[in-house]
């Protein structure tokens, strides 16, 4: 319990951001027409690929002999990039259909 | 320094927000996606060039992985056919989860070499591992189910119990690990159990509920990204992750609403129960369609036929039919009415009502013309008609109405039937149309259904 | 080659064939024998029939040479004498009200089919001449009423005052009644309707009109789409209500009938006495006795300022339209009848069975 | 106390007063002298008038004792002999087509007011009997046409085939034409209309009907709401188009007229020859010569299968309704006329001035 | 400790956000206000009980001021009449600014006794002082103008120049003060100049633009509160202030849009020009209404009268009238149609069309009934009618239609006129109704306007 | 310039919050019907009275002889309270009209 409070206090920024983000997320999404649910989900999914930045930092700050980190990190970058690039590309294709023939 | 970099990342976060905002309206969605992508590109760029405290750069690996990943992503996404999009999203989402899983494992391994050891940080990383793993394996299962590789019938017995058990075990082990902090084996175990949980969690969800589950998994990936952001004290990951997490959570709820189901219901389905979307009648099943799918089907059709019947008259839905026609014609969908000679309860019943609604006579097709037009029809909407669209008149010599000329509605690509129940029409005979694979039912009073359809359609037109 | 003969009618009855409908027959090899001047009421000339490939011949020739004879009036004894016993006779034979002619046919052992007796099933509907005629009659009854009524049907707010809408009451909402409802509504009248069958309420409302509910009316008088006779104890409440509604109405159109029975009496003389000056009653059940006590078939009478028109054959006033529809009914019926050939009529078939008039 | 006299008409003309309208007069102290049996066509009994406080008296008494005399027919010389020279005479005097009677009045120096000559301003509209009558005539013309037409007006898809909608063509879309359009549309017909005044296009479309545009028709023939005579060079294109439209129509209703002039001829005999069998023409401009060459006023003729009904007084067929509206017009007009008292009529007032028929 | 307190303040901030969110929809606005007030009460409570580093508490002063202030606030706000609300808001806003002004002066004075001296903090405090002062004096001037105490004609010559000059001087002195940090006199001078600037800034804004200016000043108060929040490292002030600042800024822009003016225009007006809100026709002005206001007016009415005229027929808007009726009846608004005897171009023109749209005959009122009903009418919507609602027929003996019975539309509370332009009707005469204060015009094709209205109404129903 | 950057970096939390708040504000407000403009402004104005918390802290942490601070602070509390209480009360009254009778 203490641990959690400690974390909360230390990460006040995050907490604020979280609250704001929740409200913002709600306001942004609540008026979305149902047809956009899937594209939106797909777009959000692409954004969640932001985790590759962590992977990049991991690899960059690893020693060149730290094979474990290098392997895990590179694989993470690979997968994350697929997520990001593929996600945005697929979203884009889905949204094509809103451009009337 | 970190602060300055975070300041620069702010641009990316802002772009994410703008992107999401624009993604939520059909007109701006396309540009929203691009803007979000821009934000991501910028973020990656900064991650590549910003100074790091230690490490050898390893740009070879990084650029290799980036190029390879980008290539695969592009290739896959351009190849996939439209109907496979949802499973693609699911797959991608799994990869994001895997990414989080991998870096958190790496970080957990590294923890042992760090001087300062923060319990909070360790917990965060462990959480990222846990959630990332669930997102990863869950998404893969979802992908499998959607693509048909995993059969809907492969269900766990007592899934509810299994899930609960797994979750409790996971929590127990994690807690123990936090106390001892030593065993790397336990970390691996946690990862494995999480992966397992992801599988069991998704496996029992009904096929129609898949989108909701994907949305949940997507939100989880976002949360794991945010947790990873905390590990690296990195604003873009943190904020991007939170945004995805929160909007994903809300999207999940909205999706449930759109399907007229509660989230608990969907998850309960996921925990063992079987709540299919299709109703069972005798030994045959009928397929229900939801308003949004129906509206998209109509919106992106070229030719639409409205088939009015006695139910349209009962519901007094003629004016809304006309409105639907107007709205569709506005987006260049061709709309016609197929008037069967005996539709309704008196000769010309449909004519009277449609004339009252000011439908152009030129849009009314009689039996022969309608049957011709139906060949090129994308969607036929049957508004409270029954006997006049009964295909047994055509192909079932045993039927009392065999030989009667009917609208050959199955010549079209899709059929949407609006009625209140499965009850029969004037002749009192069953209608195989309702069980046909081309047919989707939209149950409810025709006027109400059409009104809902219209409202939905307006948001997309 | 089958010969189908069409006799000229003495009245404005619809004709079983039109120049247009002859085109439909083309794929089936049929020879048409049409009596001279048969199209006179329906406004078709003999030439038009000729140019569609039919033969226009004398009455005698039609009667003697046809395999199937479509008639609109009773055949005279003279005609019957000429008629071959294998010839199929069909048409609107009026089997309920014209027993004598039917008996003659039966006695002769002539194979005859009365279209009135078609079952009210979906599949029979394309042959259902009663339906087509009732629809026309329903429409025409409103037009006629509007023509006799000395006021507007619709509500109009004008500089010279507001004209209230005409009140139209429809008694009996079968096919004719429903069409009358639809037509009167179109013209802007306020329409109410009454019937004894329960299903009718929904049907009336499906046309946007109001259905009159009689409190405590328990039984559903429905047998295969047709009504049956009501019990006396139910009638009182119903009579009172109808009385109230009728005296408030500007136009009353009655169509209530029960096949084979005399028409139910819905409007008594004293009700008419209480009606508004200038009101109009159109009684489509006139032939079977009328729904109004004062109705006289094929007559227009004025009773204390109320015009009462009794006419069960209003559809015939629209002869050409009626013929167009009727000819399609005949086409569908004959086709159904002889689908296996003239010699192998399936007397087990529901449609054939119901309409067949055979030996006594 | 002002005496207003109402004379009985020999034809079905609307009556200037109804038992109902008498109630409106109550606040103003007016004495009504009504000729015996005046209400016979409009279905009002003398008793009804009596019970509203009017006096029912002999013709002579009405003529001699009234300050204001409302008439529907020309006064005979006998009547005129009895008439006091100060009595105001008013009504639909038919000033354009009945010059002889008007001249008589003028010669006598009788003060008379012809309601036909009211200006077409908003404020005069509540007195505008022509408008009220034209509206009735427009409605009635369609009912009549529907009654004569041997088919359905609306489109109906039935088991016995699809009946196409009737095609109705309206020539001249003034008040009567517009009402005809509205009524025919209601009944489900396909309606087209033509007129020479430009403003009419929008008005026709405001009723949901189609306006026929003649290419190259430049001039707007509008003078204060009334049309004027067209130039010859414009007529050819117009005639051709109308010919084309007429021969395709099932029903043609013509209302084109130009006040004080004979009605424009829009349908020639050869056009009628080319029309469909069973088509119906209703010519509301019959009194001033008719829009159709073959029209005969107050007659129904059949020309090669086309029924032509010439009747400019169709409104009178709806006598009681017409009287109700007309009596309001009369009420409003007299009230306007004598608002300052019978002796101080404001002859500068636009309404009074326009309708006034004074000395030669 | 501060962190923990801030954590507790989070609750208040969340309540603020929820409050603002609810304030932005008519249905929830009332509760939104209460929720925000709750957040404020909670915040004050925490401020009262949370531990402070030093100081003597001084609860006597605090409670005295709180009680006194609360009493005054309540008293004033319950006494003020409805039409004086905007000036009240302005006055209150000024007090908020004064509050910021006072505490920043006090803090600036205190700075001299503090050991640690942070330039950034000093700058923040100075900014709070500056902005608070502007908000204070500006709001007071706005209050004065709205309440008529300051005449609109009291304008500065060359206001543009004066404002610029003041602003530059202020910036110069502030910069100098930041360099030297010594002179308390300069701080006072800055305060005085800021107050002056607030006055000159607002003085020249046109009366109709006042709401926009108040919104700006409101945003400024928010910003000053946020700055004060930085001084005290206090989350609730910071976040509350930022929220007010940002939403105030956006509200300002929206208000300008609603008035069909650009912000620059308003401010330019503020710098000298005079641009009214209403369009000018001849020497009379007409007031336009926007769809949203019109829809809310209708939504919260008890009785609504639709007055159809020839324009409804031209636009073929009868069906949408009926839809509007249906929608309003759904929320228990009474709808009637007032049919003038000569509306349209033929007797019964309106009847024909409304019957086609299936309007119940019982809802049609003729002239007399309509005039009775109009007395209890909240909103009368005139759909393309003109002559038949021309009040000169009633009160202008010079008018050609004087004496003609017309719909006495001004008996109702509000009138909304739907037409395309200011052009006249059949009679060709001008209609004073359009210039009446009860009337708002909604220009455009009647069908389109009604459609927009309907769409808007659907969002609030 | 350096000063500003320094502040920005130090107050990163605020900056994030600011961006979020701006977006949130935009999303919250952008769909507001015009009739609600004034009540909303009034409500926001009441919230801006949050500055009294600063005044309370000021007074609480002042010495009891620091008359200047006490005076300024108490006055600030007074004025701020009027703003808060009056603001919410006035808003409430304005919103009465949206309660359906
Ligand atoms: N045209 C004529 O002259 C005439 C005369 C008499 C009889 N008929 C017969 O009537 C039939 C006409 O065929 P049809 O296809 O038009 O009608 P139908 O076969 O009678 O079917 C009507 C269907 O409408 C549905 N329905 C009723 N109310 C509804 C509502 N409010 N909303 C949505 N659906 C509603 C009913 O299903 P739910 O209850 O599940 O909603 C019913 O299955 C034919 O069999 C024909 O032979 C025709
Ligand atoms: N009822 C009859 O029998 C009859 C017959 C003949 C004449 N009149 C006369 O006609 C007049 C009728 O009065 P009224 O009030 O109904 O009509 P009105 O006075 O003629 O006014 C109609 C108004 O509708 C507007 N309008 C036209 N099209 C529109 C559209 N598409 N959308 C929105 N507005 C549109 C026009 O203004 P904008 O152009 O600015 O849009 C015009 O001011 C009276 O003066 C009456 O005397 C009546
Ligand atoms: N093939 C088909 O499916 C088909 C074809 C035509 C008609 N129908 C159905 O058959 C039914 C009867 O049609 P119809 O018009 O030929 O009937 P009909 O002419 O025999 O009778 C007319 C109406 O009078 C009513 N009636 C009888 N007694 C009454 C009384 N005492 N008071 C009031 N009303 C009374 C009947 O219920 C009927 O509705 C209708 O429901 C119609 O829909 C079906
Ligand atoms: N008080 C009022 O405001 C008021 C009252 C009634 C009518 N009006 C207006 O007055 C006008 C005329 O009304 P009316 O019905 O009495 O007119 P009318 O009876 O004199 O003529 C009928 C129609 O025939 C048309 N016409 C004339 N020559 C024609 C030709 N050669 N071809 C085709 N059409 C031709 C005329 O334009 C007119 O529309 C209408 O616009 C009407 O709206 C105004």
């Amino acid at each position: 319990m203490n641990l959690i409070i400690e974390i909360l206090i230390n990460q006040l920024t995050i907490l604020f951001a979280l609250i704001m983000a929740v409200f913002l997320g709600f306001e942004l999404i609540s008026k979305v027409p149902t047809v956009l649910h899937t594209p939106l989900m797909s777009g959000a999914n692409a954004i969640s690929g932001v985790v590759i930045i962590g992977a990049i930092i991991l690899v960059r700050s690893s020693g060149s002999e730290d094979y474990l980190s290098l392997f895990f990190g590179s694989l993470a970058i690979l997968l994350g990039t697929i997520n990001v690039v593929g996600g945005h590309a697929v979203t884009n294709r889905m949204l094509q259909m809103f451009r009337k023939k | 320094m970190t602060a300055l970099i975070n300041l620069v990342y702010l641009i990316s976060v802002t772009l994410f927000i703008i992107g999401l905002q624009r993604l939520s309206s059909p007109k701006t969605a396309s540009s929203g996606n691009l803007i979000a992508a821009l934000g991501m590109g910028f973020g990656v760029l900064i991650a590549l060039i910003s100074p790091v405290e230690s490490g050898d750069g390893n740009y070879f690996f990084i650029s290799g992985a980036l190029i390879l990943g980008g290539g695969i992503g592009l290739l896959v996404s351009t190849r996939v056919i439209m109907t496979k999009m949802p499973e693609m999203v699911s797959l991608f989402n799994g990869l994001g989860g895997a990414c989080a899983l991998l870096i958190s494992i790496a970080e957990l391994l590294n923890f042992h070499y760090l001087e300062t050891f923060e319990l909070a940080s360790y917990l965060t990383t462990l959480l990222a591992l846990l959630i990332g793993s669930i997102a990863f394996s869950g998404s893969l299962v979802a992908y499998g189910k959607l693509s048909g590789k995993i059969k809907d019938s492969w269900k766990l017995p007592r899934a509810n119990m299994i899930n609960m058990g797994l979750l409790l075990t996971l929590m127990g082990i994690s807690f123990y690990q936090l106390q001892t902090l030593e065993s790397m084996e336990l970390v691996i175990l946690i990862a494995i159990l999480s992966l397992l949980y992801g599988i069991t969690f998704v496996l029992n969800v009904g096929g129609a509920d898949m989108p909701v589950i994907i949305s949940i998994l997507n939100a989880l990936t976002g949360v794991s990204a945010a947790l990873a952001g905390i590990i690296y004290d990195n604003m873009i990951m943190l904020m991007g992750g939170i945004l995805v997490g929160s909007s994903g959570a809300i999207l999940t709820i909205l999706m449930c609403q759109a399907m007229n189901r509660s989230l608990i219901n969907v998850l309960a389905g996921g925990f063992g129960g079987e709540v299919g979307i299709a109703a069972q009648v005798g030994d045959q099943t009928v397929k229900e369609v939801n308003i949004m799918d129906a509206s998209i089907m109509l919106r992106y059709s070229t030719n639409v036929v409205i088939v009015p019947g006695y139910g349209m008259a009962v519901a007094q839905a003629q004016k809304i039919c006309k409105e639907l026609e107007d709205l569709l014609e506005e987006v260049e969908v061709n709309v016609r009415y197929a008037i069967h000679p005996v539709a309704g309860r008196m000769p010309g019943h449909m004519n009277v009502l449609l004339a009252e609604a000011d439908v152009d006579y030129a849009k009314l097709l009689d039996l022969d013309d309608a049957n011709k037009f139906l060949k090129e029809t994308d969607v036929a909407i049957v508004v409270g008609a029954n006997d006049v669209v009964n295909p047994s008149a055509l192909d079932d010599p045993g039927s009392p109405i065999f030989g009667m000329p009917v609208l050959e509605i199955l010549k079209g690509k899709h059929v949407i039937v609006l009625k209140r129940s499965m009850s029969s029409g004037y002749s009192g005979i069953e209608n195989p149309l309702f069980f046909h694979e081309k047919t989707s039912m939209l149950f409810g009073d025709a006027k109400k259904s059409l009104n809902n359809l219209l409202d939905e359609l307006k948001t997309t037109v | 080659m089958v010969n189908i003969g069409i006799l000229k009618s003495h009245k404005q009855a619809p004709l079983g064939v039109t120049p247009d409908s002859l085109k439909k027959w083309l794929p089936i090899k049929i020879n048409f024998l049409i009596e001279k001047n048969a199209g006179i009421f329906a406004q078709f000339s003999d030439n038009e029939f000729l140019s569609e490939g039919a033969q226009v011949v004398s009455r005698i020739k039609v009667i003697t040479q046809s395999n199937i004879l479509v008639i609109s009036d009773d055949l005279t004894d003279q005609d019957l004498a000429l008629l071959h016993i294998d010839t199929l006779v069909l048409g609107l034979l009026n089997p309920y009200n014209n027993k004598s002619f039917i008996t003659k046919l039966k006695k002769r052992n002539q194979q005859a089919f009365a279209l009135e007796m078609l079952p009210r099933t979906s599949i029979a509907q394309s042959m259902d001449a009663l339906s087509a005629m009732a629809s026309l009659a329903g429409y025409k009854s409103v037009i006629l009423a509007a023509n006799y009524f000395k006021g507007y049907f619709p509500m109009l707010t004008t500089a010279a005052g507001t004209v209230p809408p005409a009140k139209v009451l429809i008694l009996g909402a079968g096919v004719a009644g429903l069409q009358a409802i639809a037509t009167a509504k179109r013209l802007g009248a306020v329409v109410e309707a009454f019937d004894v069958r329960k299903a009718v309420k929904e049907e009336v409302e499906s046309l946007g009109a109001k259905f009159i509910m009689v409190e405590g009316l328990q039984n559903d008088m429905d047998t295969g789409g047709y009504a049956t006779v009501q019990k006396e104890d139910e009638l009182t409440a119903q009579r009172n209500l109808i009385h109230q509604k009728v005296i408030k109405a500007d136009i009353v159109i009655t169509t209530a009938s029960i096949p084979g029975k005399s028409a139910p009496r819905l409007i008594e003389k004293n009700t008419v006495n209480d009606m508004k000056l200038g009101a109009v009653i159109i009684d489509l059940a006139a032939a079977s006795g009328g729904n109004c006590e004062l109705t006289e078939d094929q007559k227009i009478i004025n009773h204390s300022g109320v015009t009462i028109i009794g006419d069960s054959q209003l559809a015939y006033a629209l002869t050409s339209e009626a013929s167009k529809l009727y000819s399609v009914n005949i086409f569908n019926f004959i086709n159904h009848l002889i689908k296996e050939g003239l010699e192998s009529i399936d007397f087990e078939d529901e449609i054939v069975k119901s309409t067949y008039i055979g030996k006594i």
Side-chain angles (χ1 to χ4, degrees), chain C residues 81-92:
Chain C
L82 291 169
L83 188 65
H84 196 284
I85 203 68
D86 284 347
T87 304
L88 303 182
V89 175
L90 60 87
L92 287 167

Side-chain angles (χ1 to χ4, degrees), chain C residues 85-139:
Chain C
I85 203 68
D86 284 347
T87 304
L88 303 182
V89 175
L90 60 87
L92 287 167
L93 305 183
N94 199 1
Y96 301 124
N97 302 321
N98 195 6
K99 294 258 154 64
S100 70
F101 176 57
I102 300 292
T103 317
K104 267 186 212 161
L105 285 178
K106 282 188 175 173
K107 280 209 179 117
R108 274 175 62 97
N109 218 345
Q110 191 87 29
Q111 294 201 332
F113 299 89
L115 282 183
E116 284 94 339
M117 295 168 80
L118 269 174
R120 245 79 209 275
T121 57
S122 295
I123 196 159
Q125 212 163 336
S126 61
M127 318 161 194
D128 192 347
L130 275 196
S131 225
M133 295 307 121
S135 174
L136 267 173
Y139 166 77

Side-chain angles (χ1 to χ4, degrees), chain B residues 426, chain C residues 120-121 125 128 131 174-175 195 197 225-227 230 255-257 264:
Chain B
Y426 183 84
Chain C
R120 245 79 209 275
T121 57
Q125 212 163 336
D128 192 347
S131 225
V175 176
D195 200 302
R197 288 181 301 120
Y226 284 115
Q230 287 180 286
T255 77
S257 77

Side-chain angles (χ1 to χ4, degrees), chain B residues 310 342 344-345 384 386-387 419-421 423 426 445-446, chain C residues 122 125:
Chain B
Y310 180 57
V342 306
R345 288 291 182 273
N386 189 340
D387 296 343
K419 64 199 299 282
R420 295 165 307 182
S421 65
S423 63
Y426 183 84
D445 178 74
Chain C
S122 295
Q125 212 163 336

Side-chain angles (χ1 to χ4, degrees), chain B residues 124-397:
Chain B
T124 310
T125 318
L126 211 59
L127 269 176
L129 170 64
L130 211 139
I131 295 177
S133 303
I134 296 175
F136 171 52
S137 63
S139 297
L140 287 192
V141 174
Y143 166 73
K145 292 193 92 161
L146 280 177
S147 63
K149 296 197 173 67
I150 297 177
K151 297 243 159 60
D152 252 8
S153 54
W154 294 0
K155 293 235 160 106
L156 289 178
R158 304 189 145 271
N160 214 326
M161 295 274 286
I162 295 178
N163 281 317
M164 269 303 186
L166 266 177
L167 211 57
L168 287 176
T169 318
L170 258 173
M171 281 167 72
I173 298 177
S174 303
F175 194 69
Y176 181 74
Q177 172 69 1
L178 276 178
Q179 307 293 326
T180 60
L181 294 175
E182 254 141 61
S183 154
M184 199 52 216
E185 285 73 28
L186 274 189
V187 171
I188 304 293
L189 186 62
I190 290 173
I192 291 175
L193 285 178
S194 305
L195 289 171
L196 210 63
Y197 179 74
I199 296 173
T200 58
F201 175 67
V202 177
L203 203 58
N204 276 39
V205 175
D209 289 339
M210 234 52 232
V212 177
I213 284 293
I214 296 179
S215 182
I216 293 176
L217 294 169
N218 188 22
L220 287 182
T221 313
V223 172
S224 69
L227 290 168
I230 297 178
I231 309 174
Y232 294 103
D233 194 4
N234 180 299
M235 267 299 156
I236 183 174
M237 289 167 73
L238 177 63
M239 300 303 296
I242 290 178
L243 273 177
V244 172
S246 73
S247 59
I250 289 148
L251 188 56
T252 306
I253 295 168
L254 290 179
M255 280 177 151
C256 289
Q257 282 175 354
M259 291 168 44
N260 243 330
R261 316 215 14 189
S262 78
L263 182 57
I264 294 172
N265 231 319
V266 170
L267 291 181
F271 287 125
E274 161 71 3
V275 190
I277 193 168
Q280 206 78 18
V281 174
D283 55 347
Q284 292 180 292
T285 52
V286 297
K287 193 162 71 250
E288 278 189 63
V289 70
N290 64 29
I291 296 283
M292 64 171 152
D293 286 341
S295 99
I296 297 185
M297 258 157 90
L298 292 171
R299 169 69 176 77
Y300 293 98
S301 295
T302 306
N303 293 322
V304 165
V305 168
I306 298 177
V307 183
Y310 180 57
M312 180 193 80
V314 172
Q316 288 282 295
Q318 59 270 25
K319 294 215 174 106
I320 305 163
C321 282
K322 166 71 173 156
E323 273 186 68
L324 186 70
E325 177 208 316
D326 288 344
L327 201 62
L328 287 174
E329 293 273 351
E330 219 170 81
V331 289
E332 282 159 27
V333 179
N334 246 324
V335 182
R336 291 291 179 279
Y337 296 78
I339 314 294
H340 189 277
V342 306
R345 288 291 182 273
M346 67 161 206
H349 202 162
M350 298 301 114
N351 299 90
V352 171
L353 297 176
L354 293 176
E356 184 195 327
D358 236 4
V359 171
D360 189 352
Y361 280 151
K363 290 195 171 294
L364 308 184
L365 305 181
D366 63 14
L367 192 62
D368 294 340
D369 291 338
N371 282 340
K372 257 176 239 151
F373 191 77
L374 273 164
K375 282 184 207 145
E376 299 149 30
T377 293
D378 299 293
V379 183
I381 325 171
V382 177
V383 185
N386 189 340
D387 296 343
V388 301
V389 289
N390 193 330
S392 22
L394 300 167
D395 52 22
D396 177 7

Side-chain angles (χ1 to χ4, degrees), chain A residues 34-35 59-60 64 68 93 99, chain B residues 47 56 58 80 109 296 456:
Chain A
T34 12
V35 260
V59 175
R60 280 187 66 197
S64 53
L68 202 73
R93 279 194 57 198
R99 305 220 186 92
Chain B
D56 297 339
N58 305 306
V80 67
L109 294 179
I296 297 185
E456 183 61 36

